[in-house]
Amino acid sequence: DYVTDVVDGRSCKRVNKCSNDGCDGEDVTRITRVEGIPASTLPSLSSITASIFNGTYSIKPMGGVLPYHALEYEGAIIGGRKFLDLCGVQVAQVQSPTDWISLALGKCNEIQPEIEGVYDDFLGLVN
């Protein structure tokens, strides 16, 4: 699990480390049937990052000097860019797209957990 720290108004995720007797562990609830919940229309993380990195989403102003290909969804925006082997993904609210809530930046093959954290923040804004 990850813990979110806020430093100078910016959030940062870090791995939650516990001693052997320091955390409660995970809880699990078995669900065999759930009725009445509509199917989500939100694209998956892999679909979103593919569209961002392939440049298929429209360009949105999210700050910085380079354009960002981004998806706006229910008041949230997730966007980013790929250059050579570097990837960046950030999330913000549509009304303030240059005030990033979270960001993952680094070598594409090394930052998947951070990108997943950014996607989780995106989900938190739209749900």
Side-chain angles (χ1 to χ4, degrees):
D1 291 338
Y2 292 91
V3 176
T4 302
D5 294 327
V6 178
V7 178
D8 296 330
R10 300 180 90 181
S11 62
C12 177
K13 292 204 182 277
R14 63 177 169 81
V15 175
N16 186 25
K17 295 181 181 179
C18 300
S19 63
N20 286 338
D21 59 353
C23 294
D24 293 335
E26 299 291 332
D27 294 324
V28 177
T29 303
R30 181 177 177 184
I31 298 177
T32 56
R33 178 185 282 179
V34 178
E35 295 179 8
I37 297 176
S40 174
T41 58
L42 184 64
S44 68
L45 172 60
S46 60
S47 174
I48 288 174
T49 53
S51 294
I52 287 171
F53 298 149
N54 292 329
T56 56
Y57 282 144
S58 60
I59 294 175
K60 305 285 182 182
M62 295 186 73
V65 295
L66 298 174
Y68 296 95
H69 295 276
L71 168 69
E72 287 185 24
Y73 188 91
E74 295 184 8
I77 184 169
I78 185 168
R81 185 148 191 86
K82 180 177 181 183
F83 179 74
L84 300 174
D85 67 340
L86 299 176
C87 291
V89 178
Q90 63 273 354
V91 66
Q93 294 179 333
V94 170
Q95 71 264 23
S96 54
T98 60
D99 295 329
W100 299 342
I101 292 169
S102 62
L103 164 73
L105 177 64
K107 290 188 176 184
C108 301
N109 62 348
E110 296 176 359
I111 64 166
Q112 189 60 34
E114 291 84 358
I115 291 174
E116 291 170 4
V118 171
Y119 182 72
D120 288 344
D121 289 340
F122 177 69
L123 293 178
L125 290 175
V126 299
N127 291 327

